[in-house]
Amino acid sequence: MNIEHLIYFITTVKYSSFTKAANSLFISQSTISKAIRSLEHMFSIEIVDRTSKKFKLTSEGEIFYHSAVKIVQQYKDERQLLETRLVSRSGTLILGVPPVTITIVHKILADYQLAYPNIQLRVLEIGANKVYSLLKTGAIDVGILIHPVNDAELINYPVIKSEVVCVTNEKHAVSKECNITWKMLKEKNFIY
């Protein structure tokens, strides 16, 4: 779930208007419409009554709105707490990193240590499932996970976007393809 989509939705409810919300957020009305459609699609519900002449939420939309407000407030509170801890520039930050991502985030960790030399960075190189469970219990402060992570209790902040690359022998059935889809690889043997 994208926190910005929730903010767009909450702002639209506040103004009871897609146009006014878009103007207040300095974005296009279509961006807000797409974000709300995305939320509706994600939860398989309609949150805005599009049959009404005036802006109106559905009953599911009312429930969704109250939860969205709580989620965004929790996000703001947690972000403020994290910023306060980081600005203090002292203490320990415990980070969970799956082994598959450690080389990708190495530069980020090095930059962090240069920016905050008085914060002890404790890196736990553990599996993604363990990172997730430790985040949920609060045993670690920050975790690196590979998307998608669908958990409203966790705040997602994209760090790196990367494409998946398929490397094959030139004799492999997919080696002549320009673009390889997951569907194409579904029935293929990866290890002989």
Side-chain angles (χ1 to χ4, degrees):
M1 181 186 315
N2 187 328
I3 197 76
E4 288 181 346
H5 289 182
L6 294 177
I7 292 169
Y8 297 167
F9 170 64
I10 291 167
T11 305
T12 304
V13 173
K14 175 184 172 185
Y15 287 102
S16 295
S17 165
F18 286 87
T19 304
K20 289 178 183 176
N23 290 338
S24 77
L25 294 167
F26 303 102
I27 59 174
S28 70
Q29 184 176 333
S30 66
T31 300
I32 290 181
S33 294
K34 287 176 187 174
I36 291 175
R37 287 269 189 213
S38 174
L39 291 170
E40 290 176 323
H41 179 73
M42 180 182 296
F43 292 96
S44 302
I45 59 170
E46 284 191 19
I47 55 179
V48 175
D49 182 356
R50 290 179 179 79
T51 62
S52 176
K53 289 185 179 184
K54 290 185 177 182
F55 181 85
K56 184 180 172 188
L57 295 178
T58 63
S59 56
E60 292 92 351
E62 291 285 346
I63 294 167
F64 190 87
Y65 171 75
H66 294 293
S67 291
V69 168
K70 289 178 186 175
I71 291 167
V72 169
Q73 188 58 53
Q74 182 181 1
Y75 168 80
K76 289 178 180 177
D77 293 345
E78 289 295 324
R79 183 175 175 152
Q80 181 63 45
L81 179 64
L82 180 59
E83 287 174 359
T84 301
R85 290 176 71 188
L86 294 177
V87 169
S88 72
R89 299 181 188 258
S90 64
T92 301
L93 183 69
I94 304 171
L95 173 68
V97 182
V100 71
T101 64
I102 194 74
T103 56
I104 296 169
V105 298
H106 185 267
K107 171 85 169 98
I108 295 169
L109 299 178
D111 290 344
Y112 180 85
Q113 284 286 233
L114 286 173
Y116 304 100
N118 295 329
I119 295 180
Q120 179 186 0
L121 185 60
R122 195 166 142 224
V123 179
L124 303 177
E125 192 174 347
I126 51 180
N129 289 337
K130 186 72 173 174
V131 170
Y132 178 77
S133 64
L134 290 176
L135 277 170
K136 293 290 284 181
T137 63
I140 60 175
D141 300 306
V142 179
I144 304 292
L145 295 172
I146 299 170
H147 275 276
V149 178
N150 297 318
D151 189 327
E153 292 179 16
L154 298 179
I155 299 167
N156 291 301
Y157 182 77
V159 177
I160 293 174
K161 285 189 176 187
S162 176
E163 63 182 36
V164 176
V165 179
C166 178
V167 180
T168 69
N169 181 298
E170 63 185 20
K171 295 176 184 172
H172 194 279
V174 297
S175 68
K176 305 294 185 234
E177 300 289 334
C178 292
N179 291 309
I180 300 169
T181 64
W182 288 111
K183 189 175 181 180
M184 294 167 68
L185 296 174
K186 184 177 179 183
E187 305 298 326
K188 304 292 185 215
N189 290 325
F190 282 92
I191 300 174
Y192 292 97

